[in-house]
């Protein structure tokens, strides 16, 4: 099994091996999920703004965090990491150019655009990488930052400068998560007030605002979802604990549902997964959420041996069904009874997992932005390769419900967003191990 794929360890010559899974075991038990990848990445980039050291707690040990910390070091920040606690001090940071491989590999490197413009009034970075789930242009980012006074040079990389950044009203043509975050990062210390209209509503953006406000920023989201940023002189250091990763929560809930098991997620009550949980309940799973603020914020799921199909559903910007759970859900629908149709409205190439699931006996027909799934009573183990981050997680879910043994390569993709998927699922009773990798299996 030759693992390929863009991953941190492999890019440093370490072979990550593959996952070997024997399916058919209902998952049981309880688990605490890692800190949120998509919340911590913009928070880490924002540490470039202002002075003073920032301590980030519950920071997941994942590939995209490793690469983002490398970028911060290359920019001259002092970075210390102990387990899931990271301390970043940008006081001595003097660089505003990112040439590294890391930046070209991960999408979140584009978030240094707003942070570097905010701090240095100049930013040079490679065009951002990311999963091959779509073209992933940054035109919305550029137009928004130009509104605040940034100028972009035509080049084979991103070159942005600004004499000064002035608050203004930015209307996003699409509620882009990254463009909303970049606009916030550039506006936080700009002169004057910035309004972001049609801002993305993902909860990770509100976490970024919460973190920046802890540092002395003045950012609020109005009732209609717009974001108002009143630029401040400077930002101070702070200590902040990252919330649970709602996409990892959704992934593990699907793992339990796919295997007819019952699990408790102990540190996330699913309040940011309502649209997703509605689909799970429609499929026949039982979901119990603990009340907010109770002694334990948790969510319990129980599931019949075989789920029902989901009918028609489509992905949408928050609070709609999250595109990041589209591939994992597809894998579970492959064995549900009945037909389902998923329409992917966010990315133009996020059905690559289907070809791999078909190798397990799934019946999936792709028609443009639509995936039509006819549930089959049994999936079978196969030799597969993860096509991207969430597609890799989807193959793990397929393998957990399959008869026999499955091997999944390209697991560097999975490690970009899941801290240790085999450790977590083994805790819940799965027969899963990493073979020939660099972690003890
Ligand atoms: C963030 O990506 C997340 N990544 C993605 O998670 C997530 O799928 C996505 O938001 C949507 O929720 C991080 O937070 C690091 P977008 P981002 O800008 O910011 C188009 C995962 O698996 N677009 O909202 O890149 C774009 O091509 C990852 O954890 C433009 O056309 O998402 C896409 O089709 C995958 N021009 C759509 O908008 C732009 O300038 C959504 O992109 C920007 C975006």
């Amino acid at each position: 099994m030759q693992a390929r794929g863009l991953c941190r360890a492999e890019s440093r010559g370490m072979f990550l091996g593959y996952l070997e899974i024997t399916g058919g075991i209902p998952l049981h038990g309880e688990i605490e999920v890692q800190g949120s990848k998509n919340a911590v990445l913009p928070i880490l980039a924002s540490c470039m703004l202002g002075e003073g050291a920032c301590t980030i707690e519950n920071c997941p040990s994942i590939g995209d965090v490793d690469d983002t910390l490398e970028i911060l070091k290359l920019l001259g920040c002092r970075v210390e990491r102990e387990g899931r606690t990271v301390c970043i001090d940008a006081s001595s940071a003097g660089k505003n150019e990112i040439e590294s491989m890391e930046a070209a590999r991960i999408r979140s490197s584009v978030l240094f655009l707003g942070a570097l413009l905010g701090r240095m009034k100049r930013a040079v970075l490679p065009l951002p990488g990311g999963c091959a789930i779509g073209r992933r242009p940054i035109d919305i980012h550029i137009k928004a930052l130009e509104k605040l006074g940034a100028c972009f040079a035509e080049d084979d990389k991103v070159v942005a400068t600004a004499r000064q950044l002035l608050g203004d009203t930015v209307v996003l043509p699409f509620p882009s998560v990254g463009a909303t975050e970049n606009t916030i990062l550039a506006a936080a210390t700009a002169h004057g007030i910035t309004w972001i209209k049609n801002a993305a509503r993902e909860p990770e953006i509100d976490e970024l605002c919460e973190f920046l406000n802890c540092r002395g920023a003045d950012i609020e989201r109005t009732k209609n979802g717009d974001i108002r940023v009143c630029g401040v002189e400077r930002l101070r250091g702070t200590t902040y604990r990252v919330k649970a990763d709602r996409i990892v929560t959704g992934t593990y809930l699907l793992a339990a549902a796919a295997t007819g098991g019952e699990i408790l997620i102990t540190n996330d009550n699913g309040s940011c997964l309502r649209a997703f949980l509605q689909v799970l309940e429609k499929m026949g799973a039982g979901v119990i959420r603990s009340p907010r603020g109770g002694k334990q914020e948790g969510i319990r799921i129980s599931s019949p041996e075989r789920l029902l199909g989901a009918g028609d559903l489509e992905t949408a910007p928050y609070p709609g069904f999250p595109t990041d759970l589209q591939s994992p859900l597809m894998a579970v629908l492959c064995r549900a009874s009945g037909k389902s149709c998923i329409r992917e409205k966010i990315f133009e190439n996020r059905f690559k997992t289907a070809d791999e699931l078909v190798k397990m006996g799934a019946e999936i027909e792709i028609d443009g932005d639509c995936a039509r799934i006819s549930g089959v009573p049994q999936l079978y183990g196969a030799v597969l390769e993860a096509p991207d981050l969430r597609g890799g997680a989807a193959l793990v879910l397929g393998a957990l419900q399959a008869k026999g043994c499955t091997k999944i390569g390209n697991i560097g993709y999975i490690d970009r967003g899941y801290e240790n998927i085999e450790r977590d699922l083994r805790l819940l009773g799965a027969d899963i191990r990493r073979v020939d990798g660099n972690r003890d299996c």
Side-chain angles (χ1 to χ4, degrees), residues 396-417:
V396 172
L397 300 185
L400 290 172
Q401 38 182 346
K403 188 176 171 65
C405 178
T406 299
K407 294 180 179 179
I408 302 171
N410 278 357
I411 51 178
Y413 280 124
I414 301 175
D415 293 344
R416 281 184 47 202

Side-chain angles (χ1 to χ4, degrees), residues 149-187:
C151 302
F152 286 79
E154 284 298 314
D155 203 318
D156 62 355
K157 52 192 169 189
V158 182
V159 181
T161 53
R163 256 178 358 90
Q164 65 172 355
L165 292 169
L166 291 172
D168 204 324
T169 297
V170 171
V171 182
L172 299 182
F174 173 85
S176 153
V177 172
T180 302
E181 290 166 342
N182 254 331
T183 308
I184 290 167
L185 294 176

Side-chain angles (χ1 to χ4, degrees), residues 37-39 41-42 64 107-111 131 133-143 174-181 200 202 204 245-247 316-318 322-324 344-348 350 388-390 416-417:
K37 165 177 97 74
N38 290 348
L41 295 177
D64 277 8
R107 173 77 184 170
S108 56
S109 57
V110 74
L111 295 176
C131 284
I133 55 179
R135 282 181 317 111
R136 307 190 79 178
I138 59 168
D139 53 316
I140 302 174
H141 298 242
I142 290 172
K143 286 206 182 60
F174 173 85
S176 153
V177 172
T180 302
E181 290 166 342
E202 274 67 6
E204 290 77 21
D245 189 314
R246 63 191 175 103
I247 304 302
Y318 194 86
T323 174
D324 293 345
E344 173 55 63
K345 304 295 284 181
I346 305 294
F347 289 104
E348 67 269 28
R350 207 168 197 179
D388 54 56
L389 162 53
R390 304 302 175 185
R416 281 184 47 202

